[in-house]
Amino acid sequence: MSSGEDESGVQRRLRVFLSYSRADRESARVVADALEQSGLEVWWDAQIEGGAAFAKAIETALHASDAVVVLWSSHSLESDWVRDEAAQGRDQKKLVPVSLDGSDPPLGFRQYQSIPVQISRGRLADDSLQAVLRAVMPLAGRDPVPVAKPAPAGTDAGRRRLLLAGAGAVVVVAGAGAIGWRRGWFGPAAPTGGDRSVAVMPFENLSGDPRKSYFSEGLSEELRATLARNQRLKVMAKTSSSLFRKSDEGPVQIAAQLGVAFLLHGSVRWAGNDVRVAVNLVDGGSGFTRWGHTFERPIDDVFAVQEEIANTVAAAMAAEVASPATPEAQRAASGGTVDVVAFDTYLRGRAVYENGDDEASERRALNLFDEAIARDPGYAAAYAARAATLTTLANHYADVDKHGAMYDQAIAAARRAVALAPAYAGGHSMLGFVLFQGRLDAHAARVPFEQSNRLGQGDASVQARWAQYCARIGRAREASEAIERAVSRDRLNALIHRAAGTIAYAARRFEDSLPPLRKALQMNPQMSRAHAHIGDALVNLGKLDDARAAYAQEPGADFRLAGLAIAEHRAGNAAAATAAMQRLVTERGDAVLYQQGQVLAQWGERETAIARLQAARKAGDSGLIYARNDPFLDPLRQDARMNALLNSLGFDV
């Protein structure tokens, strides 16, 4: 196989690594554009900001290239970066030295005759381009192909691009054929096959202050959300992208595991009141940087930078940019703020919330969200975050008699988010979530959930919540479609795979529920409820020994004991079933009224089971969201009291 062929023997575009000094950036841009217009794939890092991710990208691109074109000049002679890259090209027998200003290469590189080139009025001379191509093509096992003189910009002919192929020149009209190229500073080639998938990697904090990490990570998350609003892009969610924060793997391997065509790397550096955001869009197939830029702004302009990066990346991926035209429209879509202090406080709150594992940290997060709201009462995303935090506090830490008041506060915060930003999918999604799981009102949750689905097709979290709601109310097809969208955008998130398993279970596809649940456990062996869900499916498949083994591994006592009480009863082990039920009641009491109702229904004790479920309704037990299609409650389906209970929950029965 020649270096210009892929594994199938089909000739691919030649890959050129362009090495240059930052001081020669404009000349490098001209050379890169000329080579790209000739059909070559050019890697050139317009703004090397430093850090492991960028060094790794450079190393990967050097190894993947067919030729290393080094632009020697009085500036690059002094650059350690250029000397190192030239040494790599020389050692790999693919060095093409080019002289921009007549400078001779440094010692160690003079055995290679450099090619003098001329650049005039922002254009590489035709004879210079031909000379470079004659040097590059043989390195890839190709014969040089004459390149037509580019037509003047703005003419129809000027919009045509010539691709170099082994057999000759092929003319492709941009936008009209199977391959359309956008070239230049912000215009790389469209992804192969029209793949517009991207993972925004966690931005690096280059401030020297670890306490600033929340800002760089928060900015990458805000950028991720901005890109996801463009429905022509498929944007990988945070959980999957963040798994590679400290990975030693190269961009090609990371992109393959995430299932995306591009990776967006970035870094944030502070200098007084200014912030410098450097971004690189890396092709996941080659490891080449397709576009790179640095945005330097006063911190007050960070929101403009965020939107500018998102729009530029979308354009660079050949996707239609559908960005709101006004600041007001942007806030309506993002739930954002124009107050830098409020934004900073919100990011700190989100960092505490996402990393917290106790009540104290949840309350610190809530206080920070409240501070952000006090600073900007129009900050919809902060209200949605407040609703999420209150729901977490109610579910995990509050006494049962305090649930109602906390859910009321969460609902009020979510409603405020929706009122402030009607086009913000996260606000509608959070309102639906709290109405369903907190208020236990499936009917009231329908409208906000449906609106979140319309607005948030590209948001994995929004789609996962919508999918689970659809599963609980019996809209199985929509649930399946939504969870597929969520998985495709967050394929390494164990929670998403667990949700996919429960959605298949709710549709009574018990066998189908097992693979995603097991995949979730592969990703996170300590995950709660996944073993119990597997046990539930196995009980319904009649595999009682396997079910008992699954329940025994469940870390959550509620689900483990309820499952064992059901499985042992079905197996005829009355004593073991009774022992499990007694422990469930003694250890967990009224906190698990729904699970008690499940067990009693399976034991055939209808009256007691109905009574426990009615008590669960009065207590606001969130387990009741499963009641409409829970197989363990099937023995109660013909009872009018069961239908009345489901109607009170807003379910259609």
Side-chain angles (χ1 to χ4, degrees):
M1 183 177 72
S2 74
S3 60
E5 294 180 352
D6 62 20
E7 288 78 358
S8 64
V10 177
Q11 281 196 323
R12 57 165 172 77
R13 290 187 298 139
L14 304 186
R15 296 169 177 169
V16 173
F17 182 101
L18 188 63
S19 178
Y20 65 99
S21 166
R22 185 175 298 182
D24 297 323
R25 184 177 64 190
E26 285 306 310
S27 296
R29 180 191 63 78
V30 172
V31 173
D33 194 47
L35 294 175
E36 286 177 333
Q37 290 187 30
S38 300
L40 306 184
E41 184 174 345
V42 180
W43 192 102
W44 64 300
D45 193 341
Q47 299 287 342
I48 296 177
E49 185 65 17
F54 295 96
K56 188 178 293 296
I58 290 170
E59 184 178 358
T60 300
L62 275 166
H63 285 289
S65 65
D66 297 302
V68 177
V69 175
V70 177
L71 303 184
W72 292 118
S73 71
S74 59
H75 302 296
S76 62
L77 289 174
E78 305 300 322
S79 170
D80 292 336
W81 280 102
V82 175
R83 286 174 178 258
D84 286 347
E85 291 160 2
Q88 287 270 11
R90 178 195 61 201
D91 295 345
Q92 295 175 24
K93 310 290 188 193
K94 52 186 179 185
L95 177 64
V96 177
V98 170
S99 178
L100 292 176
D101 58 7
S103 297
D104 290 327
L107 289 175
F109 299 97
R110 291 178 182 173
Q111 66 270 41
Y112 293 85
Q113 183 175 355
S114 59
I115 302 168
V117 297
Q118 276 191 315
I119 296 175
S120 177
R121 296 180 181 179
R123 183 171 173 274
L124 183 64
D126 294 333
D127 56 351
S128 298
L129 174 60
Q130 294 283 357
V132 174
L133 290 173
R134 281 195 296 270
V136 167
M137 299 297 283
L139 293 174
R142 307 268 186 98
D143 294 327
V145 178
V147 179
K149 181 177 181 179
T155 67
D156 287 341
R159 290 192 290 269
R160 292 166 170 80
R161 298 292 181 259
L162 294 178
L163 303 183
L164 292 177
V170 181
V171 179
V172 179
V173 182
I179 305 175
W181 303 105
R182 285 174 55 87
R183 295 296 187 189
W185 189 242
F186 294 135
T192 303
D195 189 345
R196 299 182 178 97
S197 56
V198 61
V200 181
M201 310 307 288
F203 280 20
E204 291 185 83
N205 169 29
L206 300 181
S207 68
D209 182 355
R211 293 173 297 179
K212 290 286 189 182
S213 293
Y214 75 88
F215 187 89
S216 56
E217 294 186 15
L219 185 60
S220 61
E221 176 62 11
E222 292 293 306
L223 175 58
R224 190 178 291 113
T226 302
L227 285 169
R229 291 200 302 273
N230 186 328
Q231 295 192 13
R232 295 192 66 193
L233 299 179
K234 187 173 95 173
V235 183
M236 191 59 53
K238 176 182 179 180
T239 303
S240 292
S241 301
S242 296
L243 289 177
F244 296 95
R245 183 191 313 274
K246 297 180 180 178
S247 174
D248 291 330
E249 296 181 86
V252 175
Q253 292 74 26
I254 292 173
Q257 292 181 64
L258 290 172
V260 295
F262 288 91
L263 302 176
L264 187 70
H265 290 284
S267 65
V268 179
R269 188 190 299 275
W270 294 77
N273 195 46
D274 293 339
V275 63
R276 185 183 193 191
V277 182
V279 288
N280 268 12
L281 185 67
V282 178
D283 187 322
S286 66
F288 280 26
T289 291
R290 306 293 267 160
W291 165 78
H293 195 55
T294 292
F295 302 81
E296 295 187 52
R297 302 285 192 279
I299 184 61
D300 290 347
D301 290 340
V302 69
F303 312 108
V305 172
Q306 176 185 315
E307 195 71 22
E308 186 178 353
I309 295 171
N311 290 346
T312 306
V313 170
M317 294 174 65
E320 177 183 343
V321 177
S323 178
T326 66
E328 292 75 17
Q330 291 176 15
R331 281 173 61 117
S334 69
T337 181
V338 294
D339 187 298
V340 172
V341 175
F343 180 60
D344 183 84
T345 305
Y346 167 77
L347 291 181
R348 286 189 286 126
R350 193 164 67 185
V352 172
Y353 177 76
E354 292 176 352
N355 296 320
D357 57 1
D358 56 24
E359 183 177 2
S361 59
E362 302 291 355
R363 292 200 176 277
R364 281 199 303 275
L366 182 63
N367 289 338
L368 287 165
F369 294 138
D370 286 344
E371 285 181 30
I373 291 169
R375 177 80 187 192
D376 179 4
Y379 200 167
Y383 278 103
R386 183 175 203 274
T389 310
L390 284 165
T391 303
T392 300
L393 285 165
N395 285 343
H396 296 287
Y397 305 110
D399 294 334
V400 173
D401 60 350
K402 295 181 180 178
H403 283 184
M406 296 185 75
Y407 284 135
D408 286 345
Q409 291 182 58
I411 291 169
R415 289 195 189 282
R416 185 62 178 154
V418 169
L420 289 168
Y424 174 41
H428 293 279
S429 179
M430 188 52 61
L431 177 58
F433 177 79
V434 180
L435 286 170
F436 190 38
Q437 296 221 356
R439 187 68 62 76
L440 297 179
D441 192 339
H443 181 75
R446 180 178 60 81
V447 170
F449 265 133
E450 288 179 342
Q451 184 70 349
S452 76
N453 177 50
R454 283 191 288 270
L455 295 169
Q457 291 274 310
D459 188 315
S461 296
V462 166
Q463 288 300 304
R465 290 193 200 107
W466 164 245
Q468 292 178 87
Y469 171 74
C470 287
R472 307 305 164 220
I473 66 173
R475 293 164 67 167
R477 179 183 59 80
E478 291 169 279
S480 179
E481 293 171 350
I483 200 63
E484 284 181 13
R485 287 193 291 271
V487 169
S488 72
R489 288 163 174 79
D490 209 357
R491 62 192 294 177
L492 301 183
N493 186 339
L495 292 172
I496 297 286
H497 288 282
R498 185 182 69 184
T502 65
I503 286 166
Y505 179 86
R508 307 294 177 104
R509 295 186 289 110
F510 303 125
E511 197 71 54
D512 292 342
S513 74
L514 296 174
L517 290 168
R518 287 169 175 153
K519 188 166 187 175
L521 285 169
Q522 287 177 354
M523 296 177 179
N524 180 7
Q526 306 305 316
M527 169 173 278
S528 65
R529 291 184 287 166
H531 285 293
H533 290 315
I534 290 173
D536 293 345
L538 292 169
V539 166
N540 284 283
L541 290 169
K543 301 178 180 179
L544 299 179
D545 288 340
D546 292 340
R548 275 195 296 256
Y551 288 133
Q553 297 180 72
E554 172 57 45
D558 303 2
F559 305 97
R560 180 179 70 252
L561 294 171
L564 286 171
I566 292 171
E568 296 292 4
H569 183 271
R570 285 206 183 185
N573 301 323
T578 300
M581 180 62 164
Q582 287 177 342
R583 283 190 61 192
L584 181 68
V585 174
T586 302
E587 295 176 12
R588 302 293 293 137
D590 288 350
V592 291
L593 288 167
Y594 180 77
Q595 283 87 350
Q596 293 175 38
Q598 287 179 304
V599 174
L600 292 165
Q602 286 295 297
W603 286 8
E605 298 183 18
R606 178 182 298 184
E607 294 300 320
T608 313
I610 291 287
R612 296 291 169 87
L613 293 174
Q614 289 173 335
R617 177 69 179 98
K618 186 176 180 179
D621 189 329
S622 61
L624 287 164
I625 65 171
Y626 301 98
R628 183 188 179 278
N629 43 22
D630 185 346
F632 291 148
L633 298 184
D634 284 355
L636 310 179
R637 300 290 175 199
Q638 302 307 312
D639 193 301
R641 292 170 295 178
M642 183 65 188
N643 288 331
L645 175 65
L646 293 174
N647 284 326
S648 77
L649 296 167
F651 289 118
D652 296 325
V653 294

